[in-house]
Amino acid sequence: GNSVTQMEGPVTLSEEAFLTINCTYTATGYPSLFWYVQYPGEGLQLLLKATKADDKGSNKGFEATYRKETTSFHLEKGSVQVSDSAVYFCALSRNNNDMRFGAGTRLTVKP
Amino acid sequence: DGGITQSPKYLFRKEGQNVTLSCEQNLNHDAMYWYRQDPGQGLRLIYYSQIVNDFQKGDIAEGYSVSREKKESFPLTVTSAQKNPTAFYLCASRSTVGWNTEAFFGQGTRLTVV
C-alpha cells in the first residue's frame, strides 16, 4: 500500500543552522508529495508540494525536490529561525481518495 | 473568510458516553476527512467522504461513526465502543477538481475521557 516514512525526531538546531528532514515514500504510480507544518495546538498547514518527478516545491525558505529514482522528498532549509519550531509532516496522495502522512518530525530551534 | 471550522476546541467525555465532534467547511470542497493524532504516531485516517451521503472507512474506523448529509458538514461521533478515545482529532477537506489537490485542516479538537 501507499505509505510515507520520515526521519524520527526530535530535531534540535541552533538558529541559522541548516535543516534536513528526510522523507521516503512507497506508492504505485505517480503520487503527489506534500510537506505540512503544525504549530502547537493547531491544525496542519500546507508548506509546499510537488506533483511530478523532479519538481521542486518551495515556500518560506523551505525546499523539497521530488526524486522518483530514490522515492524521496527531503525537506531542507538553509538557515532556520526560532519561529520554524514546529512539527513537520511529509504526505503523499495517490489520488483524491485519501492522503497518507508520515509520523511527523518535531523541530526545535534554539536562539 | 473561507475555511474549515472544528468545534469545540476541547472536549471532555465520561467513559461510556458517545460524543460528536463538529466539522464545517465553506470552501465548497467535495471531499472531507477525519484523522486522529496521537503522540509519535502521526495522523491516522478514520473516515473520509468524497460526496454527500457517501463515506468510507479509513484505517481505524472501529468505534467511530460519521454522516455526510450536507456538503459543508462532516460530523464525527466517538462511540463508547472506542476503547482509547483520548486524542487530538483533525478534520480536513480538499477539492476534487484537479488531481491530488492540497488538504485544508481545521484547528482540531482535543478529546479527553475522564
Side-chain angles (χ1 to χ4, degrees), chain B residues 26-43:
Chain B
N26 60 5
L27 299 167
N28 199 34
H29 288 168
D30 285 308
M32 297 187 74
Y33 309 81
W34 274 105
Y35 292 91
R36 171 178 171 144
Q37 186 178 19
D38 294 284
Q41 295 195 45
L43 275 65

Side-chain angles (χ1 to χ4, degrees), chain B residues 39-84:
Chain B
Q41 295 195 45
L43 275 65
R44 292 184 289 169
L45 183 64
I46 305 173
Y47 270 97
Y48 64 98
S49 169
Q50 295 290 99
I51 196 169
V52 173
N53 293 322
D54 188 46
F55 46 83
Q56 281 75 43
K57 293 181 179 180
D59 298 325
I60 56 164
E62 185 174 352
Y64 299 97
S65 65
V66 294
S67 63
R68 188 82 188 277
E69 298 176 359
K70 298 186 300 182
K71 187 175 185 178
E72 302 79 18
S73 179
F74 191 43
L76 173 74
T77 296
V78 184
T79 75
S80 56
Q82 170 50 235
K83 299 304 180 187
N84 184 22

